[in-house]
Amino acid sequence: MAGEKAHHERCEGHGHAHSPHSDVAAMIERARAFAAARKLPFTEMRARVLTVLAREEKPLTAYEITDRLSVSKKVQAVQVYRGLDFLQEAGCVHRLASKASYFACDHEHHPGEAVVFMVCSHCGTVQEAPSDLVAQGLQGAAEHAGFKPAHPIVELEGECARCSETKAA
Amino acid sequence: MAGEKAHHERCEGHGHAHSPHSDVAAMIERARAFAAARKLPFTEMRARVLTVLAREEKPLTAYEITDRLSVSKKVQAVQVYRGLDFLQEAGCVHRLASKASYFACDHEHHPGEAVVFMVCSHCGTVQEAPSDLVAQGLQGAAEHAGFKPAHPIVELEGECARCSETKAA
DNA sequence: CAGTGAAGTGTAATAGTATTACACCACGGC
DNA sequence: GCCGTGGTGTAATACTATTACACTTCACTG
Ligand SMILES: [Zn+2]
Ligand SMILES: [Zn+2]
Ligand SMILES: [Zn+2]
Ligand SMILES: [Zn+2]
């Protein structure tokens, strides 16, 4: 559960948001490893869904993914949802609750960590950053209420650096 | 933007989660005051939606609200959504993004505050608690990323005190 | 006191998100 | 070979949210 600083250093080279991921192949590899560890197949469909998300700058809805995949070969939403389920378990994809959409992640996450999804209301990109303070705050609130915390969702709507600059110019 | 302690003291008498609100009338009054301040009518429909939520222990979906209201007189979902929009602006109702459902709130909220919604995965109740640490963490993450924060969503799934006890017994 | 405009209502239709059901296929272990 | 687990493809359905439009209410103003 590294400190905020340490974690940020790990995230360098990642630049703005999770822009068209430099490294789609690496993400595929991570998913494949997860599948192997669980002795589950890393199927064509799973790879295709992840690839679409990894190439995209912004979160996509399940139906947007469906549409893109359908260009090459008709697929149905339920197939995409199945792929998304797997990829979320693998930690390769997150769901943005506030937008009911999905985006690829190339971070390693750790249990107990609290990750903030910063969503730009102007351009739609998402940038994620773990925060120990937030984790502590959640922990504290839970403790105070006798609540046993499991899975946090932390989303912050606002305006990303790039969009702020653009406007200023 | 009081400290965690101070805020919690203000919340006493509120007991477990936002159980069938002791004080439906007070919540109505709050909504009415908001409406008056904006010179907007506090209509029948708005009151009916709020009343249903205030009497309920758990969040309800818009369609569940629709069904309850329809018992006395048939209403349509869109009418409920309109009521919910108003009530959310008034700060009397929150939306739980992770469940696409709505619940009444009898707290006062303040700008810049970060409120944690603790959602019991067993009984479904929601308990809210403001956290300064979380607020600071969000602020810090945003600052570090050059992100201009606007509206946070913080939800924590887990098990409430009551359910934990019950199991232990 | 008619005219106007902002805001709400009631109804219908539609868009958008997610799940269930089921028949069939692929593969690894016995 | 047979079976069990897990994936696929297809259809149907459930659930969540919004748009459109005709009509009403009410406060304001000329
Ligand atoms: Zn991530
Ligand atoms: Zn932006
Ligand atoms: Zn509240
Ligand atoms: Zn509970």
Side-chain angles (χ1 to χ4, degrees), chain B residues 28-96:
Chain B
I28 298 277
E29 202 39 55
R30 200 149 71 86
R32 190 189 305 282
F34 171 86
R38 299 265 196 117
K39 296 199 199 301
L40 292 177
F42 183 64
T43 63
E44 177 67 14
M45 192 66 211
R46 288 166 186 184
R48 293 220 291 155
V49 172
L50 179 52
T51 302
V52 166
L53 285 179
R55 285 190 180 140
E56 190 71 31
E57 186 172 4
K58 303 189 290 184
L60 295 177
T61 68
Y63 279 82
E64 286 170 338
I65 298 168
T66 303
D67 289 345
R68 300 200 194 215
L69 291 181
S70 291
V71 170
S72 47
K73 179 193 161 205
K74 172 75 180 177
V75 303
Q76 286 197 311
V78 63
Q79 301 172 263
V80 170
Y81 279 108
R82 292 197 281 230
L84 288 171
D85 287 346
F86 173 89
L87 294 167
Q88 287 176 260
E89 295 219 347
C92 298
V93 164
H94 300 302
R95 176 174 195 267
L96 199 60

Side-chain angles (χ1 to χ4, degrees), chain A residues 91 94 105-107 109 115 117 128:
Chain A
H94 300 303
C105 160
D106 53 9
H107 301 219
H109 291 299
V115 181
F117 297 156
E128 46 178 305

Side-chain angles (χ1 to χ4, degrees), chain A residues 25-44:
Chain A
M27 301 186 57
I28 297 278
E29 203 38 56
R30 199 149 71 86
R32 189 188 306 283
F34 171 87
R38 299 264 196 119
K39 296 199 201 298
L40 293 176
F42 183 65
T43 63
E44 176 66 14

Side-chain angles (χ1 to χ4, degrees), chain A residues 26-83:
Chain A
M27 301 186 57
I28 297 278
E29 203 38 56
R30 199 149 71 86
R32 189 188 306 283
F34 171 87
R38 299 264 196 119
K39 296 199 201 298
L40 293 176
F42 183 65
T43 63
E44 176 66 14
M45 193 66 211
R46 289 166 183 183
R48 292 219 291 155
V49 170
L50 179 53
T51 302
V52 166
L53 285 179
R55 285 189 179 142
E56 191 70 31
E57 185 173 4
K58 301 189 290 183
L60 295 177
T61 68
Y63 279 82
E64 286 170 338
I65 298 168
T66 303
D67 289 345
R68 300 201 196 218
L69 291 181
S70 290
V71 170
S72 46
K73 179 194 161 204
K74 172 76 181 175
V75 303
Q76 285 196 310
V78 64
Q79 302 172 262
V80 171
Y81 280 108
R82 293 197 279 231

Side-chain angles (χ1 to χ4, degrees), chain A residues 16 120-125 159-160 162-163:
Chain A
H16 180 73
C120 179
S121 44
H122 187 253
C123 68
T125 56
E159 196 171 52
C160 76
R162 184 175 303 214
C163 285

